[in-house]
Amino acid sequence: MTKNKKLLAWLDEMVELNAPDKVVWIDGSEEQIEELRATACKTGEMEKLNEEMLPGCYLHRTAINDVARVEGRTFICTTEREEAGATNNWMSPKETYEKLYKLYKGSMKGRTMYVIPYSMGIVGSEFAKNGIELTDSIYVVLNMCIMTRVGNDVLASIGDDGDFVKGMHSRADMNEEERYICQLPEDNTIMSVNSGYGGNVLLGKKCFALRIASVLARDEGWMAEHMLILGIEDPQGNVKYVTAAFPSACGKTNLAMLIPPEYYASKGYKVWCVGDDIAWLRIGEDGRLWAVNPENGFFGVAPGTSEKTNPNALAATRKGTIFTNVCHNLDNNTVWWEGLDKNPPEHAVDWKGNPWNGKTATEKGAHPNSRFTAPAVNCPCLSKEFNNPKGVPISAIIFGGRRAKTAPLVYQSRSWQHGVYMGSAMASETTAAASGAVGVVRRDPMAMLPFCGYNMGDYFAHWLEMGKKIPNPPKIFNVNWFRTDDEGHFIWPGYGDNMRVLMWILARCEDKIGAQETAIGWLPNPEDIEVEGLEGIDTETIRGLLSVDADLWKQDADGVEEFYKKIDSVGNRMPKELYEELAGLRERLGK
Ligand code: GTP
Ligand code: SPV
Ligand code: MN
């Protein structure tokens, strides 16, 4: 398979530790994948869905207590506590190895260990990085084969002495109390145990492409971010690209695949998806910031995905897709989730595996964090640059979150440094993507709170540093699709209509449109947000969506200060520039 000594030595050690009955190398061939699907169906790990309606699609249910990322059990394991910072759980590498090796010991007896060579990015390309995941879960193997580029060509690219990120995953006995997701950036190693769910076990995704990669990026002068990447093509065929960082389940997949409203579509505008979750950004030879999507598929939130909200995502799930924790429609052996349509099946099985009738049910059929794992090639609006190893040049970086009040529909930063402040001050209501309470506002800087592999103060410093290094940096914006009225309804229609805001952003990037200077940054003139074709929304509604309540913003500034102090409490590494930006904002808001 390989002569790579480091790889073979590590594999030997892990085989001895976990004691699997068998070791199988994943070669990336369709034959092997098909065999694994058949095995998973035989054991009940997956169910094959209707081959006519959903060809090559499967359903999987995780354990009921294992349905989301577990932030409380996710650790950054560095020699010094200061390296991990105040916003991460910390354990020393020594303690981590001791604790997890005990849990791994003999955990694969009677099972098979799969060895998955995978690449984040185009295999062998300059910006790609390789990993090996060891796992006892066929579900993980099949998901990794969709989400990343897997197989023998990756082994070839690692070569005899190439480097790779080590990823060890064992379901062990699925004991929730002993569940750990550990990142060891000093050893380029990830260890995950006692979970079988998405972000906890598909180690190429959050663990590698964000937590480990953010450390590599800091050291090597690039950025690993929780961002979608999309392109907007004008009627002349020019495409401009933007990235956007929204917290988990706050609309990245939806924005990345948006369908332009008729007003723009009829003029010939198109939107292309390059990525929906992770962006690796580097400074290009032309002095601009370039982004690649290191993934090869979409691990998207199912509920709320419909023909109306996101037809492109829905289309992407119609073949070769794995559904996790959705509702199983027994009448036609397909899947259903809340928000798919208004016809919940009456003869169904819910995400917990219990009989479910959509007519009488009081509980949800699909878990709020149920997901689809769909190959990127299925997406009708996939960018033709998707496989371009150089990526795409970025005109704007957009931050955003769920804020019922406070944040306006859109505003622009005063400078890169102020933009970094805006990202650092992001807050959003929590969602079902992580276990714990939903709907609580918390700070989530750059949507990276759960994913930054090092001290958040250093992370902000890295952003400031990048701003100095990029000769022609993207402009920075903040958006909020989630403002509510007094009854708690979203005011802005969102989804495809978010294009109207993107168009203002692009016009600003090209200096084609004016804006009003305010205490918080540059706000649109309300009449510059196109409302033609929108029902019940006029320029007055936009004026309301753009309003800034100085009192709320002063309160928010207090929250930011508290958060900065918390970050400073471990290592004192908050850049002074951000305290200055905070002081400047308070000054402009008026005392
Ligand atoms: P992760 O995969 O967890 O990182 O999430 P994501 O940021 O890709 O979130 P996604 O696009 O899957 O959206 C999550 C939820 O937000 C879904 O239930 C959507 O229906 C809802 N949503 C997305 N965009 C909008 C919008 O513009 N307005 C409103 N009101 N809801 C939205
Ligand atoms: C997120 O939670 O931000 C996701 C899903 O994209 S997971 O892969 O579970 O992290
Ligand atoms: Mn995500």
Side-chain angles (χ1 to χ4, degrees):
M1 278 296 149
T2 177
K3 292 197 193 97
N4 189 300
K5 287 205 183 75
K6 187 175 149 192
L7 202 171
L8 292 171
W10 173 62
L11 181 61
D12 278 351
E13 189 193 348
M14 290 303 112
V15 168
E16 192 180 319
L17 177 64
N18 290 278
D21 283 10
K22 218 167 89 179
V23 175
V24 171
W25 289 76
I26 301 302
D27 59 21
S29 70
E30 185 51 34
E31 299 76 58
Q32 188 186 40
I33 293 174
E34 191 53 36
E35 215 175 282
L36 288 170
R37 290 184 189 118
T39 308
C41 288
K42 221 184 278 161
T43 61
E45 190 176 346
M46 298 203 312
E47 289 174 69
K48 173 140 183 61
L49 296 165
N50 187 318
E51 181 61 23
E52 271 75 56
M53 297 173 80
L54 293 170
C57 292
Y58 294 82
L59 171 67
H60 173 77
R61 273 183 227 104
T62 63
I64 291 173
N65 65 9
D66 190 25
V67 293
R69 286 182 293 101
V70 278
E71 295 179 3
R73 310 209 58 92
T74 299
F75 289 78
I76 300 299
C77 310
T78 49
T79 313
E80 305 293 333
R81 173 139 196 31
E82 287 72 20
E83 274 305 302
T87 57
N88 284 310
N89 300 308
W90 174 80
M91 236 193 301
S92 75
K94 184 166 175 287
E95 188 187 349
T96 310
Y97 284 117
E98 278 169 15
K99 199 174 265 197
L100 273 81
Y101 275 27
K102 254 186 223 146
L103 298 171
Y104 287 136
K105 197 162 175 33
S107 71
M108 292 190 184
K109 274 193 193 125
R111 299 182 193 170
T112 300
M113 176 192 274
Y114 299 96
V115 183
I116 315 171
Y118 67 95
S119 170
M120 300 313 292
I122 312 297
V123 182
S125 71
E126 197 183 342
F127 298 142
K129 296 208 178 276
N130 295 312
I132 305 280
E133 176 163 357
L134 309 179
T135 179
D136 56 356
S137 158
I138 295 183
Y139 170 76
V140 167
V141 173
L142 296 176
N143 273 274
M144 286 294 284
C145 286
I146 297 173
M147 292 307 296
T148 72
R149 294 158 174 99
V150 167
N152 288 341
D153 51 345
V154 179
L155 274 187
S157 123
I158 295 174
D160 288 351
D161 43 29
D163 216 357
F164 59 93
V165 169
K166 300 173 192 163
M168 176 65 227
H169 166 247
S170 173
R171 283 177 301 153
D173 55 11
M174 295 293 283
N175 178 358
E176 202 180 359
E177 308 292 317
E178 298 279 11
R179 187 170 293 157
Y180 288 98
I181 319 299
C182 294
Q183 283 69 207
L184 298 98
E186 291 160 13
D187 299 348
N188 270 344
T189 295
I190 303 158
M191 296 196 282
S192 164
V193 70
N194 282 316
S195 173
Y197 178 78
N200 298 332
V201 299
L202 308 179
L203 301 186
K205 198 171 174 58
K206 297 304 170 38
C207 304
F208 178 169
L210 290 179
R211 297 196 190 100
I212 296 285
S214 61
V215 177
L216 297 172
R218 175 199 61 189
D219 296 345
E220 297 169 3
W222 52 283
M223 305 164 89
E225 300 294 335
H226 192 202
M227 288 176 174
L228 68 90
I229 311 164
L230 71 80
I232 298 178
E233 181 176 335
D234 71 15
Q236 288 74 46
N238 307 306
V239 190
K240 294 271 189 292
Y241 297 90
V242 306
T243 63
F246 307 156
S248 303
C250 288
K252 288 183 300 302
T253 305
N254 279 272
L255 190 68
M257 299 180 191
L258 81 75
I259 294 200
E262 190 49 33
Y263 177 83
Y264 294 109
S266 63
K267 291 186 163 59
Y269 284 93
K270 296 185 179 110
V271 168
W272 302 107
C273 172
V274 183
D276 82 325
D277 198 47
I278 296 174
W280 284 359
L281 305 130
R282 289 163 221 265
I283 305 171
E285 282 163 13
D286 63 354
R288 288 188 291 174
L289 193 62
W290 289 65
V292 299
N293 169 12
E295 300 193 282
N296 201 26
F298 308 115
F299 186 61
V301 176
T305 309
S306 74
E307 207 52 73
K308 255 174 89 181
T309 57
N310 193 348
N312 283 321
L314 197 60
T317 68
R318 298 298 94 176
K319 60 179 187 219
T321 293
I322 300 171
F323 296 92
T324 303
N325 294 336
V326 298
C327 181
H328 190 186
N329 181 345
L330 296 178
D331 286 328
N332 56 11
N333 191 24
T334 62
V335 289
W336 189 85
W337 49 76
E338 280 68 22
L340 174 66
D341 56 38
K342 298 214 162 81
N343 298 309
E346 292 177 41
H347 185 214
V349 176
D350 71 7
W351 67 273
K352 294 180 181 167
N354 298 323
W356 190 83
N357 180 339
K359 279 272 163 340
T360 56
T362 50
E363 287 188 44
K364 288 193 158 46
H367 187 275
N369 190 41
S370 55
R371 299 250 168 185
F372 52 79
T373 317
V377 290
N378 284 1
C379 180
C381 64
L382 192 70
S383 163
K384 67 178 186 338
E385 304 298 334
F386 178 75
N387 282 316
N388 183 344
K390 275 174 59 184
V392 293
I394 300 304
S395 299
I397 292 174
I398 307 171
F399 295 124
R402 283 179 190 263
R403 295 302 295 271
K405 302 277 175 267
T406 323
L409 182 61
V410 59
Y411 65 106
Q412 182 185 355
S413 78
R414 299 156 57 87
S415 62
W416 177 275
Q417 177 171 305
H418 177 238
V420 175
Y421 170 81
M422 276 163 38
S424 79
M426 267 169 68
S428 191
E429 293 155 23
T430 52
T431 65
S435 61
V438 168
V440 183
V441 175
R442 70 162 183 186
R443 296 282 147 198
D444 190 350
M446 283 88 170
M448 284 288 280
L449 181 75
F451 308 120
C452 182
Y454 60 104
N455 190 306
M456 196 56 85
D458 291 343
Y459 171 76
F460 295 150
H462 181 54
W463 264 84
L464 293 171
E465 197 51 38
M466 287 299 292
K468 290 180 199 144
K469 283 194 199 146
I470 311 167
N472 189 1
K475 303 267 192 291
I476 301 180
F477 298 81
N478 194 92
V479 299
N480 178 22
W481 317 138
F482 298 94
R483 263 216 197 176
T484 54
D485 61 19
D486 293 340
E487 278 92 55
H489 301 124
F490 296 123
I491 303 169
W492 177 247
Y495 300 102
D497 288 313
N498 293 332
M499 171 97 172
R500 299 168 188 274
V501 173
L502 294 182
M503 293 302 285
W504 182 80
I505 288 174
L506 283 189
R508 286 296 292 167
C509 292
E510 291 164 27
D511 278 329
K512 283 189 184 152
I513 210 163
Q516 324 165 38
E517 190 172 7
T518 73
I520 66 164
W522 295 94
L523 276 164
N525 296 307
E527 58 279 11
D528 287 340
I529 302 290
E530 184 55 64
V531 290
E532 195 179 312
L534 277 181
E535 254 172 63
I537 303 242
D538 56 18
T539 299
E540 277 320 295
T541 325
I542 302 292
R543 198 180 303 281
L545 283 166
L546 292 171
S547 64
V548 173
D549 179 329
D551 286 335
L552 282 181
W553 275 81
K554 282 181 205 167
Q555 275 173 38
D556 202 62
D558 294 345
V560 174
E561 183 177 0
E562 200 181 309
F563 184 57
Y564 283 4
K565 283 189 176 148
K566 177 183 165 180
I567 295 172
D568 259 341
S569 71
V570 179
N572 237 335
R573 302 204 184 166
M574 273 302 299
K576 66 167 187 354
E577 290 90 334
L578 295 187
Y579 278 113
E580 285 163 16
E581 286 293 338
L582 174 61
L585 171 66
R586 282 174 156 157
E587 183 86 27
R588 293 190 301 272
L589 286 167
K591 295 267 150 64

PDB file of all heavy atoms in Angstrom, residues 69 205-206 210 226-227 246-249 252-253 276-278 295 299 371 433 447 451, ligand 3:
ATOM      1  N   ARG A  69     -22.522  18.141  17.234  1.00  0.00           N
ATOM      2  CA  ARG A  69     -21.196  18.328  17.796  1.00  0.00           C
ATOM      3  C   ARG A  69     -21.318  18.522  19.314  1.00  0.00           C
ATOM      4  O   ARG A  69     -22.312  19.039  19.801  1.00  0.00           O
ATOM      5  CB  ARG A  69     -20.505  19.552  17.177  1.00  0.00           C
ATOM      6  CG  ARG A  69     -20.023  19.344  15.752  1.00  0.00           C
ATOM      7  CD  ARG A  69     -19.315  20.569  15.209  1.00  0.00           C
ATOM      8  NE  ARG A  69     -20.234  21.684  15.044  1.00  0.00           N
ATOM      9  CZ  ARG A  69     -20.359  22.698  15.879  1.00  0.00           C
ATOM     10  NH1 ARG A  69     -19.597  22.782  16.967  1.00  0.00           N
ATOM     11  NH2 ARG A  69     -21.226  23.653  15.655  1.00  0.00           N
ATOM     12  N   LYS A 205     -13.222  17.299   8.367  1.00  0.00           N
ATOM     13  CA  LYS A 205     -14.040  18.510   8.323  1.00  0.00           C
ATOM     14  C   LYS A 205     -13.617  19.501   9.402  1.00  0.00           C
ATOM     15  O   LYS A 205     -12.611  20.192   9.270  1.00  0.00           O
ATOM     16  CB  LYS A 205     -15.523  18.103   8.425  1.00  0.00           C
ATOM     17  CG  LYS A 205     -16.477  19.168   7.961  1.00  0.00           C
ATOM     18  CD  LYS A 205     -17.896  18.610   7.889  1.00  0.00           C
ATOM     19  CE  LYS A 205     -18.919  19.674   7.560  1.00  0.00           C
ATOM     20  NZ  LYS A 205     -18.695  20.390   6.288  1.00  0.00           N
ATOM     21  N   LYS A 206     -14.368  19.620  10.489  1.00  0.00           N
ATOM     22  CA  LYS A 206     -14.064  20.650  11.477  1.00  0.00           C
ATOM     23  C   LYS A 206     -12.725  20.390  12.189  1.00  0.00           C
ATOM     24  O   LYS A 206     -11.961  21.318  12.443  1.00  0.00           O
ATOM     25  CB  LYS A 206     -15.212  20.772  12.494  1.00  0.00           C
ATOM     26  CG  LYS A 206     -16.532  21.229  11.851  1.00  0.00           C
ATOM     27  CD  LYS A 206     -16.362  22.502  11.118  1.00  0.00           C
ATOM     28  CE  LYS A 206     -17.476  23.001  10.234  1.00  0.00           C
ATOM     29  NZ  LYS A 206     -18.842  22.904  10.522  1.00  0.00           N
ATOM     30  N   LEU A 210     -10.518  22.949   9.942  1.00  0.00           N
ATOM     31  CA  LEU A 210     -10.583  24.189  10.722  1.00  0.00           C
ATOM     32  C   LEU A 210      -9.642  24.163  11.939  1.00  0.00           C
ATOM     33  O   LEU A 210      -8.748  24.994  12.043  1.00  0.00           O
ATOM     34  CB  LEU A 210     -12.022  24.499  11.137  1.00  0.00           C
ATOM     35  CG  LEU A 210     -12.929  24.926   9.974  1.00  0.00           C
ATOM     36  CD1 LEU A 210     -14.349  25.191  10.448  1.00  0.00           C
ATOM     37  CD2 LEU A 210     -12.387  26.164   9.248  1.00  0.00           C
ATOM     38  N   HIS A 226     -14.467  29.265   8.634  1.00  0.00           N
ATOM     39  CA  HIS A 226     -15.793  28.632   8.557  1.00  0.00           C
ATOM     40  C   HIS A 226     -16.656  29.463   7.603  1.00  0.00           C
ATOM     41  O   HIS A 226     -17.549  30.188   8.040  1.00  0.00           O
ATOM     42  CB  HIS A 226     -16.394  28.601   9.969  1.00  0.00           C
ATOM     43  CG  HIS A 226     -17.606  27.735  10.121  1.00  0.00           C
ATOM     44  ND1 HIS A 226     -18.513  27.913  11.152  1.00  0.00           N
ATOM     45  CD2 HIS A 226     -18.074  26.693   9.406  1.00  0.00           C
ATOM     46  CE1 HIS A 226     -19.475  27.003  11.061  1.00  0.00           C
ATOM     47  NE2 HIS A 226     -19.238  26.258  10.010  1.00  0.00           N
ATOM     48  N   MET A 227     -16.337  29.351   6.309  1.00  0.00           N
ATOM     49  CA  MET A 227     -16.942  30.256   5.326  1.00  0.00           C
ATOM     50  C   MET A 227     -17.436  29.520   4.089  1.00  0.00           C
ATOM     51  O   MET A 227     -16.781  28.599   3.603  1.00  0.00           O
ATOM     52  CB  MET A 227     -15.892  31.258   4.837  1.00  0.00           C
ATOM     53  CG  MET A 227     -15.482  32.314   5.829  1.00  0.00           C
ATOM     54  SD  MET A 227     -14.149  33.309   5.106  1.00  0.00           S
ATOM     55  CE  MET A 227     -13.977  34.565   6.360  1.00  0.00           C
ATOM     56  N   PHE A 246     -20.898  32.514   8.658  1.00  0.00           N
ATOM     57  CA  PHE A 246     -22.052  32.519   9.570  1.00  0.00           C
ATOM     58  C   PHE A 246     -21.895  31.312  10.491  1.00  0.00           C
ATOM     59  O   PHE A 246     -21.446  30.258  10.044  1.00  0.00           O
ATOM     60  CB  PHE A 246     -23.389  32.341   8.812  1.00  0.00           C
ATOM     61  CG  PHE A 246     -23.629  33.297   7.669  1.00  0.00           C
ATOM     62  CD1 PHE A 246     -24.506  32.935   6.647  1.00  0.00           C
ATOM     63  CD2 PHE A 246     -23.019  34.539   7.605  1.00  0.00           C
ATOM     64  CE1 PHE A 246     -24.746  33.790   5.584  1.00  0.00           C
ATOM     65  CE2 PHE A 246     -23.258  35.402   6.545  1.00  0.00           C
ATOM     66  CZ  PHE A 246     -24.128  35.025   5.526  1.00  0.00           C
ATOM     67  N   PRO A 247     -22.321  31.423  11.746  1.00  0.00           N
ATOM     68  CA  PRO A 247     -22.224  30.274  12.644  1.00  0.00           C
ATOM     69  C   PRO A 247     -23.013  29.065  12.121  1.00  0.00           C
ATOM     70  O   PRO A 247     -23.821  29.193  11.198  1.00  0.00           O
ATOM     71  CB  PRO A 247     -22.826  30.795  13.949  1.00  0.00           C
ATOM     72  CG  PRO A 247     -22.617  32.273  13.895  1.00  0.00           C
ATOM     73  CD  PRO A 247     -22.790  32.627  12.448  1.00  0.00           C
ATOM     74  N   SER A 248     -22.795  27.922  12.754  1.00  0.00           N
ATOM     75  CA  SER A 248     -23.449  26.679  12.342  1.00  0.00           C
ATOM     76  C   SER A 248     -24.960  26.859  12.261  1.00  0.00           C
ATOM     77  O   SER A 248     -25.564  27.473  13.146  1.00  0.00           O
ATOM     78  CB  SER A 248     -23.112  25.579  13.343  1.00  0.00           C
ATOM     79  OG  SER A 248     -21.709  25.439  13.418  1.00  0.00           O
ATOM     80  N   ALA A 249     -25.538  26.321  11.197  1.00  0.00           N
ATOM     81  CA  ALA A 249     -26.987  26.375  10.955  1.00  0.00           C
ATOM     82  C   ALA A 249     -27.522  27.811  10.929  1.00  0.00           C
ATOM     83  O   ALA A 249     -28.616  28.095  11.405  1.00  0.00           O
ATOM     84  CB  ALA A 249     -27.751  25.519  11.972  1.00  0.00           C
ATOM     85  N   LYS A 252     -25.228  29.292   5.700  1.00  0.00           N
ATOM     86  CA  LYS A 252     -24.151  29.252   4.701  1.00  0.00           C
ATOM     87  C   LYS A 252     -24.564  28.427   3.475  1.00  0.00           C
ATOM     88  O   LYS A 252     -24.419  28.879   2.344  1.00  0.00           O
ATOM     89  CB  LYS A 252     -22.860  28.676   5.306  1.00  0.00           C
ATOM     90  CG  LYS A 252     -22.172  29.618   6.277  1.00  0.00           C
ATOM     91  CD  LYS A 252     -20.856  29.056   6.799  1.00  0.00           C
ATOM     92  CE  LYS A 252     -21.000  27.744   7.528  1.00  0.00           C
ATOM     93  NZ  LYS A 252     -21.906  27.779   8.687  1.00  0.00           N
ATOM     94  N   THR A 253     -25.058  27.207   3.712  1.00  0.00           N
ATOM     95  CA  THR A 253     -25.434  26.349   2.573  1.00  0.00           C
ATOM     96  C   THR A 253     -26.481  27.048   1.725  1.00  0.00           C
ATOM     97  O   THR A 253     -26.419  27.032   0.490  1.00  0.00           O
ATOM     98  CB  THR A 253     -25.978  24.996   3.084  1.00  0.00           C
ATOM     99  OG1 THR A 253     -25.000  24.409   3.939  1.00  0.00           O
ATOM    100  CG2 THR A 253     -26.277  24.054   1.931  1.00  0.00           C
ATOM    101  N   ASP A 276     -19.697  25.516   0.762  1.00  0.00           N
ATOM    102  CA  ASP A 276     -20.801  25.886   1.653  1.00  0.00           C
ATOM    103  C   ASP A 276     -20.425  25.902   3.129  1.00  0.00           C
ATOM    104  O   ASP A 276     -21.268  26.187   3.972  1.00  0.00           O
ATOM    105  CB  ASP A 276     -22.003  24.955   1.440  1.00  0.00           C
ATOM    106  CG  ASP A 276     -21.839  23.650   2.202  1.00  0.00           C
ATOM    107  OD1 ASP A 276     -20.692  23.164   2.319  1.00  0.00           O
ATOM    108  OD2 ASP A 276     -22.850  23.107   2.691  1.00  0.00           O
ATOM    109  N   ASP A 277     -19.133  25.596   3.462  1.00  0.00           N
ATOM    110  CA  ASP A 277     -18.831  25.486   4.897  1.00  0.00           C
ATOM    111  C   ASP A 277     -17.412  25.925   5.271  1.00  0.00           C
ATOM    112  O   ASP A 277     -17.230  26.520   6.319  1.00  0.00           O
ATOM    113  CB  ASP A 277     -19.048  24.038   5.358  1.00  0.00           C
ATOM    114  CG  ASP A 277     -19.179  23.909   6.869  1.00  0.00           C
ATOM    115  OD1 ASP A 277     -19.936  24.700   7.473  1.00  0.00           O
ATOM    116  OD2 ASP A 277     -18.526  23.024   7.450  1.00  0.00           O
ATOM    117  N   ILE A 278     -16.433  25.599   4.424  1.00  0.00           N
ATOM    118  CA  ILE A 278     -15.044  25.857   4.810  1.00  0.00           C
ATOM    119  C   ILE A 278     -14.289  26.501   3.648  1.00  0.00           C
ATOM    120  O   ILE A 278     -14.437  26.075   2.499  1.00  0.00           O
ATOM    121  CB  ILE A 278     -14.345  24.535   5.234  1.00  0.00           C
ATOM    122  CG1 ILE A 278     -15.046  23.981   6.496  1.00  0.00           C
ATOM    123  CG2 ILE A 278     -12.860  24.758   5.498  1.00  0.00           C
ATOM    124  CD1 ILE A 278     -14.557  22.628   6.948  1.00  0.00           C
ATOM    125  N   GLU A 295     -13.270  20.864   0.702  1.00  0.00           N
ATOM    126  CA  GLU A 295     -14.170  19.705   0.761  1.00  0.00           C
ATOM    127  C   GLU A 295     -14.618  19.269  -0.641  1.00  0.00           C
ATOM    128  O   GLU A 295     -14.394  19.959  -1.631  1.00  0.00           O
ATOM    129  CB  GLU A 295     -15.397  20.043   1.615  1.00  0.00           C
ATOM    130  CG  GLU A 295     -15.029  20.426   3.053  1.00  0.00           C
ATOM    131  CD  GLU A 295     -16.238  20.459   3.979  1.00  0.00           C
ATOM    132  OE1 GLU A 295     -17.004  21.440   3.950  1.00  0.00           O
ATOM    133  OE2 GLU A 295     -16.405  19.485   4.730  1.00  0.00           O
ATOM    134  N   PHE A 299     -22.275  18.643   3.789  1.00  0.00           N
ATOM    135  CA  PHE A 299     -22.894  18.005   4.957  1.00  0.00           C
ATOM    136  C   PHE A 299     -23.898  19.033   5.468  1.00  0.00           C
ATOM    137  O   PHE A 299     -23.613  19.803   6.380  1.00  0.00           O
ATOM    138  CB  PHE A 299     -21.815  17.658   5.987  1.00  0.00           C
ATOM    139  CG  PHE A 299     -22.320  16.865   7.160  1.00  0.00           C
ATOM    140  CD1 PHE A 299     -22.895  15.612   6.990  1.00  0.00           C
ATOM    141  CD2 PHE A 299     -22.209  17.357   8.454  1.00  0.00           C
ATOM    142  CE1 PHE A 299     -23.352  14.872   8.077  1.00  0.00           C
ATOM    143  CE2 PHE A 299     -22.662  16.627   9.555  1.00  0.00           C
ATOM    144  CZ  PHE A 299     -23.234  15.386   9.359  1.00  0.00           C
ATOM    145  N   ARG A 371     -29.121  15.730   8.825  1.00  0.00           N
ATOM    146  CA  ARG A 371     -28.240  16.222   7.762  1.00  0.00           C
ATOM    147  C   ARG A 371     -28.291  15.344   6.522  1.00  0.00           C
ATOM    148  O   ARG A 371     -28.670  14.176   6.585  1.00  0.00           O
ATOM    149  CB  ARG A 371     -26.797  16.241   8.274  1.00  0.00           C
ATOM    150  CG  ARG A 371     -26.572  17.149   9.488  1.00  0.00           C
ATOM    151  CD  ARG A 371     -25.775  18.358   9.147  1.00  0.00           C
ATOM    152  NE  ARG A 371     -25.783  19.365  10.220  1.00  0.00           N
ATOM    153  CZ  ARG A 371     -25.226  20.558  10.083  1.00  0.00           C
ATOM    154  NH1 ARG A 371     -24.639  20.911   8.954  1.00  0.00           N
ATOM    155  NH2 ARG A 371     -25.282  21.430  11.054  1.00  0.00           N
ATOM    156  N   ALA A 433     -27.052  22.664  15.856  1.00  0.00           N
ATOM    157  CA  ALA A 433     -25.844  22.042  15.302  1.00  0.00           C
ATOM    158  C   ALA A 433     -24.881  21.577  16.385  1.00  0.00           C
ATOM    159  O   ALA A 433     -24.029  20.740  16.150  1.00  0.00           O
ATOM    160  CB  ALA A 433     -25.138  23.000  14.342  1.00  0.00           C
ATOM    161  N   ALA A 447     -17.560  33.224  13.390  1.00  0.00           N
ATOM    162  CA  ALA A 447     -18.201  31.900  13.355  1.00  0.00           C
ATOM    163  C   ALA A 447     -17.206  30.790  13.673  1.00  0.00           C
ATOM    164  O   ALA A 447     -17.404  29.632  13.304  1.00  0.00           O
ATOM    165  CB  ALA A 447     -18.888  31.643  12.002  1.00  0.00           C
ATOM    166  N   PHE A 451     -14.268  26.331  16.528  1.00  0.00           N
ATOM    167  CA  PHE A 451     -13.382  25.730  15.524  1.00  0.00           C
ATOM    168  C   PHE A 451     -11.973  26.290  15.477  1.00  0.00           C
ATOM    169  O   PHE A 451     -11.154  25.833  14.688  1.00  0.00           O
ATOM    170  CB  PHE A 451     -14.016  25.870  14.134  1.00  0.00           C
ATOM    171  CG  PHE A 451     -15.437  25.368  14.065  1.00  0.00           C
ATOM    172  CD1 PHE A 451     -16.486  26.210  13.711  1.00  0.00           C
ATOM    173  CD2 PHE A 451     -15.722  24.050  14.382  1.00  0.00           C
ATOM    174  CE1 PHE A 451     -17.798  25.750  13.662  1.00  0.00           C
ATOM    175  CE2 PHE A 451     -17.035  23.574  14.336  1.00  0.00           C
ATOM    176  CZ  PHE A 451     -18.078  24.428  13.974  1.00  0.00           C
TER     177      PHE A 451
HETATM  178 MN    MN B   3     -20.364  24.349   9.580  1.00  0.00          MN
END
